[in-house]
Amino acid sequence: MTMANMDLFKVGKAQRGRTVPTAISHQALLDKSKLFAKRSIDAKETSLESECQLWAAGALELLAKAQLASIHPCLVVEPHNPNSMLEACGVSTTTKVRTIDASVAYVRLIHTVDNFTTPVMEGCRQLANRRNAELHSGDAACAAMPYDGWEGDFWNAADLILQSMDMDLQEWLGADAKAPKALLKAHRHAEVRAAKQRVKHHASQFKESEHGKLGRDKLKAFLAATHNLPINTDLFRYVYSEYWRADCPACKSCGFVAGDLSWEDRAEDQDDADYGDEIIERGYTATEFHCPTCGLALIGDIAIHAAGIDEEHVKVSVEEISYEPEYGND
């Protein structure tokens, strides 16, 4: 969801003249995230690996909350204290405002940031968890994780969040954005290369397997039979809102794909709907793929795209029309 699509979430004119606490102010959160990101870069340049990751974790959390606060400040306050909601609407209650945890913020970004898929969210949460373990326990959680284990995912997530606010790395970091941009480009290229190589590897393995050596007719029958297999959700690393089938790019048998809801709309053509019903279309973004035949596994939208798997799945359903209640009638 881009800023241009957020008009419905904009605060009303009556509230625009009010101010919210700094802790939940979009601009304050964004400015602080910039400061932390620059400190992360400075730490890396001086070979302070743990400090680099700690500042990066803080920068990403603040950036996530800045994005949510740009929609409305109430999205970043703890909901348990009702006065916090008033503060988020610009009504002073002298109550100290507490913000949501990083993990909660990242879950919400799935719905407010395009392509912020479940694997991206989990990468962000793991970064936050290492930061918490480093600060609040005796574990050297950050020191145990090398740069190539987290840095590419960090810049990828930051870039997606910034795009949702019509910003980019250059605006976020100023003159220091060249190095992260190069790293982000290298990270995405590495994912593409890895996915394509994985497809080739599993294709080669399948050809050498018992099924791969079947004659043309028997192989065709075997591949057709795989389309009758039930979808095994246990194969997936994450839990998704929808699962569907797609041809495996390696062995051409039937594989399983999963993803989350990206859009929902009433179909333009309603000719096949009975009276009182309507046809609803829902689009799901492909995020994870597994083939039970050759074992190919792909995680992330970049890998899915590189393998040539359809990135979107549209599900059509006929549903009863839900009418709004009529008010004011006896």
Side-chain angles (χ1 to χ4, degrees):
M1 179 183 295
T2 63
M3 292 296 290
N5 295 327
M6 291 180 179
D7 291 340
L8 293 176
F9 298 98
K10 298 290 187 182
V11 293
K13 292 181 179 179
Q15 200 236 312
R16 287 176 187 169
R18 300 171 179 170
T19 58
V20 298
T22 303
I24 56 175
S25 162
H26 161 69
Q27 193 59 52
L29 289 165
L30 182 61
D31 290 343
K32 195 170 183 180
S33 74
K34 293 178 179 180
L35 175 63
F36 280 25
K38 290 178 180 177
R39 287 179 177 174
S40 176
I41 292 174
D42 291 340
K44 183 177 181 179
E45 290 179 350
T46 53
S47 300
L48 298 174
E49 295 188 18
S50 294
E51 289 80 356
C52 173
Q53 191 172 169
L54 286 171
W55 286 119
L60 195 60
E61 177 180 348
L62 289 164
L63 184 62
K65 292 179 179 178
Q67 198 276 345
L68 294 170
S70 71
I71 302 173
H72 198 288
C74 70
L75 294 180
V76 295
V77 298
E78 275 286 358
H80 306 299
N81 188 332
N83 286 344
S84 293
M85 289 296 181
L86 290 171
E87 292 281 353
C89 292
V91 179
S92 178
T93 64
T94 69
T95 302
K96 184 178 180 180
V97 175
R98 298 182 65 87
T99 61
I100 55 178
D101 292 337
S103 59
V104 177
Y106 295 140
V107 169
R108 292 181 179 178
L109 290 191
I110 291 178
H111 306 285
T112 64
V113 175
D114 287 341
N115 299 315
F116 199 88
T117 55
T118 299
V120 176
M121 185 246 334
E122 285 295 337
C124 294
R125 291 178 64 176
Q126 289 171 16
L127 181 61
N129 290 340
R130 287 194 298 274
R131 186 268 312 273
N132 293 339
E134 185 81 25
L135 295 178
H136 305 301
S137 74
D139 293 340
C142 291
M145 178 63 67
Y147 283 123
D148 59 6
W150 67 270
E151 201 175 19
D153 293 331
F154 163 74
W155 290 115
N156 181 54
D159 187 50
L160 292 174
I161 298 170
L162 288 165
Q163 286 181 39
S164 75
M165 296 188 289
D166 293 331
M167 295 179 63
D168 58 22
L169 291 172
Q170 189 75 38
E171 293 178 81
W172 194 41
L173 300 173
D176 296 324
K178 285 187 177 180
K181 277 189 174 181
L183 190 150
L184 177 58
K185 185 177 181 180
H187 168 72
R188 289 175 175 170
H189 282 180
E191 284 201 56
V192 170
R193 290 195 302 269
K196 290 183 176 179
Q197 184 60 38
R198 198 171 298 129
V199 171
K200 290 181 180 178
H201 173 72
H202 283 272
S204 177
Q205 281 193 323
F206 177 75
K207 287 180 180 179
E208 298 300 320
S209 69
E210 177 184 353
H211 292 122
K213 293 180 180 179
L214 291 173
R216 186 181 64 178
D217 292 341
K218 289 185 177 180
L219 176 61
K220 184 177 180 181
F222 168 76
L223 295 178
T226 62
H227 287 78
N228 298 321
L229 293 173
I231 296 177
N232 182 4
T233 57
D234 291 338
L235 293 173
F236 293 85
R237 181 181 299 182
Y238 306 109
V239 176
Y240 297 93
S241 54
E242 186 68 22
Y243 300 84
W244 62 96
R245 294 176 173 83
D247 288 343
C248 175
C251 68
K252 311 306 177 186
S253 68
C254 184
F256 308 140
V257 194
D260 293 315
L261 182 69
S262 56
W263 58 268
E264 177 180 330
D265 204 357
R266 185 175 183 270
E268 291 185 8
D269 185 359
Q270 295 289 325
D271 291 344
D272 293 335
D274 294 331
Y275 178 77
D277 292 337
E278 62 181 348
I279 301 173
I280 301 297
E281 296 178 338
R282 293 180 176 87
Y284 298 87
T285 301
T287 306
E288 190 169 344
F289 173 86
H290 289 275
C291 176
T293 301
C294 69
L296 176 65
L298 300 166
I299 298 176
D301 57 312
I302 296 175
I304 294 288
H305 176 76
I309 298 170
D310 286 343
E311 298 167 73
E312 184 177 73
H313 171 69
V314 178
K315 185 177 181 180
V316 180
S317 61
V318 178
E319 301 176 11
E320 184 178 352
I321 297 176
S322 177
Y323 295 99
E324 295 292 333
E326 295 184 10
Y327 297 99
N329 295 328
D330 294 333

